[in-house]
Amino acid sequence: MENTAKTYARIAAGSAIAGSRSMLAPAIAHPDNVLLTAMAAMELCVDKMPGIGNRTATFSLIGRSVSGAVTGAALSRRRHRNVWLGGLLGAAGALAITYLTFYARKQLVKSTGLPDALVGLVEDGLMVVIGRKVMQ
């Protein structure tokens, strides 16, 4: 069994995916849940549409932190760790990743001239790979 610090680090990292894509973290944590998977797939598509609000808007931040908290709590329970601590780490990680990915994406689009949707697809791929790696 993993040591506690490493386990909580993996829980925080997996839950933090919700900061980039709010439904992706719970979908990766529960791969057999068809509804979560469908919602995550829809979010990945909608993210590329023009006129979608910023992920740093208040309502979006609330949703991402709740998604991170729920994912963190679920992962903690699965690993027989403190559910409240896992939820707190998940919410904090999601908020941190929200801002990190928001500004990184903006900067990458600005500095490379690549279309935002293309950079968003790369971000999607990274989040899926990272999420699956840390939640295994």
Side-chain angles (χ1 to χ4, degrees), residues 12-132:
S15 303
I17 301 300
S20 175
R21 301 289 180 268
S22 59
M23 293 309 304
L24 189 58
I28 294 173
H30 303 283
D32 295 335
N33 188 310
V34 176
L35 179 60
L36 288 175
T37 301
M39 291 172 68
M42 289 185 340
E43 181 183 22
L44 295 177
C45 294
V46 170
D47 174 67
K48 311 309 174 289
M49 299 174 75
I52 295 301
N54 286 341
R55 66 184 81 179
T56 58
T58 302
F59 184 72
S60 181
L61 287 173
I62 292 168
R64 290 168 194 281
S65 61
V66 168
S67 178
V70 169
T71 302
L75 292 172
S76 292
R77 183 171 186 210
R78 186 179 300 160
R79 290 179 168 97
H80 308 288
R81 299 294 191 244
N82 185 301
V83 175
W84 292 103
L85 180 56
L88 181 62
L89 290 170
L95 286 174
I97 293 299
T98 297
Y99 285 99
L100 178 78
T101 56
F102 176 75
Y103 289 111
R105 182 168 166 178
K106 283 181 77 158
Q107 185 59 41
L108 195 56
V109 167
K110 182 179 175 183
S111 66
T112 64
L114 291 170
D116 184 69
L118 179 59
V119 175
L121 282 172
V122 172
E123 180 184 353
D124 293 345
L126 283 171
M127 293 301 118
V128 169
V129 169
I130 292 167
R132 291 189 65 177

